[in-house]
Amino acid sequence: MLPGPKNLITDVPGILVGNAQDSVLKSGTTVLTADAPFTASVHVMGGAPGTRETDLLAPDKSVARIDALVLSGGSAFGLDACSGVMDALHGQGRGFPVGPARVPLVPGAILFDLLNGGSKDWDQNPYRALGRAAFEAAAEDFTLGTAGAGTGALTAMLKGGLGSASLVLENGVTVGALVAANPLGAVTTPGETHFWAAPFEIGDEFGGIGPDRAAGLGRSLHSRKIEAIQTLGGATLPPERANTTIAIVATDAALSKAQCQRLATTAHDGIGRAIVPAHAPGDGDLVFAASTGARVLEAADAELGTLCHAAALCLSRAIARAVFFARPEPGDLLPCWSAP
């Protein structure tokens, strides 16, 4: 297994990703789409998710393919980014056919970034426009770090961000991950130098510092994020709910909705390996899985385990890359890994 040429989820042929953000808002939206409708499913392990249209992704639901997936900041306000994507798809005549009508299918998930130092005193919800702009920007190349849905993301100790990574398997199948990392937990070990995901790093894709050689790690729950939010908003706020890591894993292997759901479920291992602690009651941790169906597997059931493993590896690496590429901006509550 080696990364694809871009080391992005768009190494999966046909997959496109677009970002839109507002530096004053300190928030944004990321959209994944494809040149044709694709199969998708989802698995939620966080205790406080915010979602739209995820029920239709269950294997027993009748809709087979969707048109786009949305990751957004903005908490519940950010779910309106899906409406902006629907507007753009409708304008292109795309969507699920119902007689002469077409209904674009755009599931989405959000993270909480309302208390990150950005201005949130809007008169009109900005996320519908951000969703449309992100869809219209969709391309094979896109920015990581402080961009799209990762614009206002924070981890326990450092700025979070948008990350991505890929792997090409021996059989030629490509697997990739896209993540907006805004967790309750930390992405680095104490000292903020070493990434929890370091054992899975390929080359120096997030600094090449290597694993932390200290023992007894993981017991400290110190969080600059909680301290900063309490200072910003007051001690009565419930900062344990101001979190969430939302992600997409994708492949060109032809998978059913049930197989996509298994891919999404196993990919959560990547969150657990890269964030400590993970899947907390106040996190909305969620993973979508998408299949373009371009490559038919000779033995899909037998090969699914390898795909799941690759997706988890990609997601761990993508989370570290999200923090690695985050850049400092005016008004930040937390430092960046690259500029502590």
Side-chain angles (χ1 to χ4, degrees), residues 12-72:
V12 177
I15 293 291
L16 303 172
V17 172
N19 289 327
Q21 56 279 321
D22 184 322
S23 60
V24 175
L25 189 67
K26 279 190 178 294
S27 188
T29 297
T30 297
V31 175
L32 180 145
T33 188
D35 49 15
F38 53 92
T39 304
S41 193
V42 66
H43 187 69
V44 181
M45 287 189 68
T51 61
R52 172 166 161 167
E53 293 275 41
T54 51
D55 283 353
L56 61 82
L57 300 179
D60 64 329
K61 300 302 184 289
S62 59
V63 170
R65 293 175 177 267
I66 63 170
D67 300 292
L69 290 166
V70 173
L71 306 179
S72 184

Side-chain angles (χ1 to χ4, degrees), residues 28-333:
T29 297
T30 297
V31 175
L32 180 145
T33 188
D35 49 15
F38 53 92
T39 304
S41 193
V42 66
H43 187 69
V44 181
M45 287 189 68
T51 61
R52 172 166 161 167
E53 293 275 41
T54 51
D55 283 353
L56 61 82
L57 300 179
D60 64 329
K61 300 302 184 289
S62 59
V63 170
R65 293 175 177 267
I66 63 170
D67 300 292
L69 290 166
V70 173
L71 306 179
S72 184
S75 189
F77 298 102
L79 293 174
D80 206 31
C82 298
S83 298
V85 178
M86 288 185 69
D87 290 342
L89 286 162
H90 178 70
Q92 295 180 3
R94 295 176 60 179
F96 183 77
V98 184
R102 285 187 173 270
V103 181
L105 300 176
V106 185
I110 49 85
L111 57 80
F112 187 99
D113 60 2
L114 298 181
L115 299 174
N116 64 359
S119 175
K120 306 301 193 298
D121 58 346
W122 59 73
D123 293 324
Q124 182 176 351
N125 188 327
Y127 289 96
R128 188 172 191 136
L130 286 168
R132 180 162 193 152
F135 176 82
E136 292 175 345
E140 292 184 359
D141 292 305
F142 60 97
T143 302
L144 300 184
T146 308
T151 298
L154 305 172
T155 74
M157 303 301 288
L158 299 168
K159 279 189 72 171
L162 187 75
S164 191
S166 69
L167 285 172
V168 180
L169 281 57
E170 291 184 7
N171 61 2
V173 167
T174 301
V175 179
L178 176 70
V179 63
N182 182 61
L184 173 71
V187 176
T188 51
T189 64
E192 288 74 71
T193 298
H194 299 272
F195 288 96
W196 287 109
F200 311 106
E201 184 176 16
I202 300 174
D204 60 354
E205 62 185 344
F206 45 88
I209 303 298
D212 194 331
R213 299 181 64 182
L217 300 173
R219 292 176 295 167
S220 173
L221 297 179
H222 178 218
S223 174
R224 289 192 189 119
K225 178 179 182 176
I226 291 177
E227 293 170 355
I229 289 176
Q230 294 288 26
T231 300
L232 182 70
T236 59
L237 292 170
E240 70 277 4
R241 296 190 178 275
N243 309 293
T244 292
T245 296
I246 46 179
I248 303 169
V249 293
T251 181
D252 53 352
L255 301 179
S256 66
K257 284 176 73 176
Q259 290 168 331
C260 280
Q261 188 178 64
R262 175 48 48 189
L263 189 70
T265 301
T266 311
H268 274 279
D269 290 349
I271 295 178
R273 294 167 184 164
I275 299 170
V276 177
H279 303 128
D283 279 318
D285 296 345
L286 171 152
V287 179
F288 293 108
S291 164
T292 65
R295 285 181 173 266
V296 177
L297 302 178
E298 293 184 5
D301 289 337
E303 296 179 68
L304 183 59
T306 302
L307 284 172
C308 289
H309 175 55
L313 291 176
C314 285
L315 187 47
S316 288
R317 294 162 50 225
I319 289 167
R321 279 162 61 83
V323 173
F324 176 74
F325 283 107
R327 63 182 185 273
E329 293 194 332
D332 283 348
L333 296 185

